[in-house]
Structures are given as structure tokens and as C-alpha cells.
Amino acid sequence: MQLHPVPIRIMHWINAVAMIVMIGSGWKIYNDEVIFGWLHFPEALTIGKWAQHGLQWHFFGMWILALNGLGYLAYGLVTGRFRRMLLPIRIGELIATIRDALRFRLSHDDPTKYNTVQKLLYVGVILIGIMTVVSGLAIWKPIQLSELLALFGSFQTARLVHFLCMSGIVGFMIVHVALALLVPHTLLAMFTGGPAVDDRKPASAQLEPTH
């Protein structure tokens, strides 16, 4: 099978578009009632003519992202893709990867293998995405989902968590795009499917020599 099967490629690009809609409309909503007085997002980066319009776009992106995200999680778990690509995560390998990065020796010649930092980033953004949805639901229906809101303590805390989670996703996207531009063949693989891999082995063992 290919590194990125057709379902993964389709869901990846749907997620990318949905996230852009969510972020742009979310910034429009934020500008209407800021959390930090010193922070306002440029109107050119927002989606929606006014806050209510932005809210409509936000709901539109939310349902696409939620349904597509559930499909992505289900596919990754059922096919074992998450196990192959994201596990194991070893402390020793993490330290070695960070050391290589600090020495500017970090390479990504083999797109079938994620280094430990990449594994942590992907696992982290999945968890952040789940928390974004949970906090978003608590903000959307604070009365109907009062038990969910209680997990955050208050409406404002849930709103802050939602904002910070979205900020984390924005940070991930910036790093993700920057790395894709620096290593173009990884971006190309998300269009073409990339090289063939043995789906019976973890990605970390794909090119290890046999004895």
C-alpha cells in the first residue's frame, strides 16, 4: 500500500480547508468579544462580514471538521495506521532528535518514517483537536450541555481553553506548512500517495536492515 492511501489524502485536505474556515471565522467571533484586550486579529484574516456571519461560517466548518475528524480517527485506529506511524514514542529517540535539530543535522529523507518530535506533534494535535471540539460544544450550548461546561469550571474558562487550543492548532499548521515547503517531497506525497510501504510493519521499521 502507499504511504498515504486515497482516504487519508481526501480527509487531510478536507481537514485543511475546514480548519482554515474555522480559524478565520473564529477570529471574527473573537474580535467581537475579545479575551485579551491587547489582541485583535486583522479583518483581512477573518471570515464573515460581522460576528453573526462569522458564527455561521464557524458552525459550517465545525460540522465538516467534526464528521471528517471522526472518520480520520476511525480510519487510523481500524487500519492500524496510528500504531504504525505514531508509535512507539521513546524518550531516548526524542532527545536524539532534538539534539540533531539543534545541530541542524535533522533530515527527513525517508517520508515513511516520522521522527519522535513529529510523532509527538501529530499525537498532540489530535488531542488538542478533541479538546477544541469539547470546549466548543460547551460554549455553543452552555445550558443544554451544562455537565460538559462544568468540566471547565465556567463559561469564560471554556472559552479560554477553546482559544488556546485553536492557537495550538494554528501553531501546528505554521510548523507543518513550513516543514512541507522545506521538504517538498513530503508535500508531493500528500497529492500522489507517496512511496509504497509494508502495512504489516511499523513505519519506524520500514527501512531497517534485516539480518
Side-chain angles (χ1 to χ4, degrees):
M1 65 176 294
Q2 288 184 295
L3 174 62
H4 302 305
V6 173
I8 286 294
R9 281 178 271 162
I10 293 175
M11 289 186 287
H12 172 274
W13 292 114
I14 290 177
N15 270 342
V17 173
M19 280 308 311
I20 291 173
V21 171
M22 289 288 289
I23 292 167
S25 58
W27 286 349
K28 185 67 177 182
I29 298 167
Y30 171 91
N31 282 348
D32 188 59
E33 188 177 347
V34 300
I35 297 176
F36 305 106
W38 49 269
L39 178 60
H40 290 77
F41 295 100
E43 287 297 313
L45 298 180
T46 65
I47 296 177
K49 294 181 180 180
W50 50 83
Q52 185 60 35
H53 194 208
L55 192 61
Q56 293 173 354
W57 273 106
H58 207 62
F59 287 150
F60 174 72
M62 176 192 73
W63 288 116
I64 294 177
L65 187 66
L67 294 175
N68 193 66
L70 284 174
Y72 180 80
L73 289 175
Y75 184 92
L77 293 171
V78 171
T79 63
R81 179 180 176 85
F82 290 160
R83 175 182 54 80
R84 292 192 304 271
M85 301 296 292
L86 304 180
L87 298 176
I89 297 176
R90 299 187 176 94
I91 298 299
E93 292 177 355
L94 174 62
I95 295 174
T97 300
I98 294 175
R99 185 183 300 117
D100 289 342
L102 292 175
R103 296 176 179 175
F104 299 100
R105 295 179 181 176
L106 187 62
S107 63
H108 194 48
D109 297 330
D110 179 12
T112 68
K113 296 170 63 176
Y114 289 159
N115 62 50
T116 308
V117 171
Q118 287 175 303
K119 293 177 182 178
L120 284 174
L121 284 174
Y122 283 117
V123 171
V125 79
I126 289 173
L127 296 177
I128 289 175
I130 293 173
M131 181 58 68
T132 302
V133 172
V134 172
S135 58
L137 289 173
I139 296 170
W140 178 36
K141 297 290 186 180
I143 304 300
Q144 295 88 336
L145 300 176
S146 57
E147 294 83 0
L148 191 61
L149 182 65
L151 296 175
F152 300 95
S154 68
F155 180 86
Q156 286 302 323
T157 300
R159 189 164 178 250
L160 177 60
V161 169
H162 191 68
F163 177 82
L164 293 177
C165 286
M166 289 297 291
S167 299
I169 292 175
V170 171
F172 170 84
M173 291 179 67
I174 292 173
V175 173
H176 187 59
V177 171
L179 291 176
L181 294 176
L182 289 173
V183 190
H185 66 80
T186 61
L187 177 61
L188 183 62
M190 193 50 74
F191 286 100
T192 64
V197 296
D198 186 349
D199 62 353
R200 296 168 299 179
K201 298 179 181 179
S204 60
Q206 290 292 336
L207 297 183
E208 289 181 1
T210 56
H211 299 284

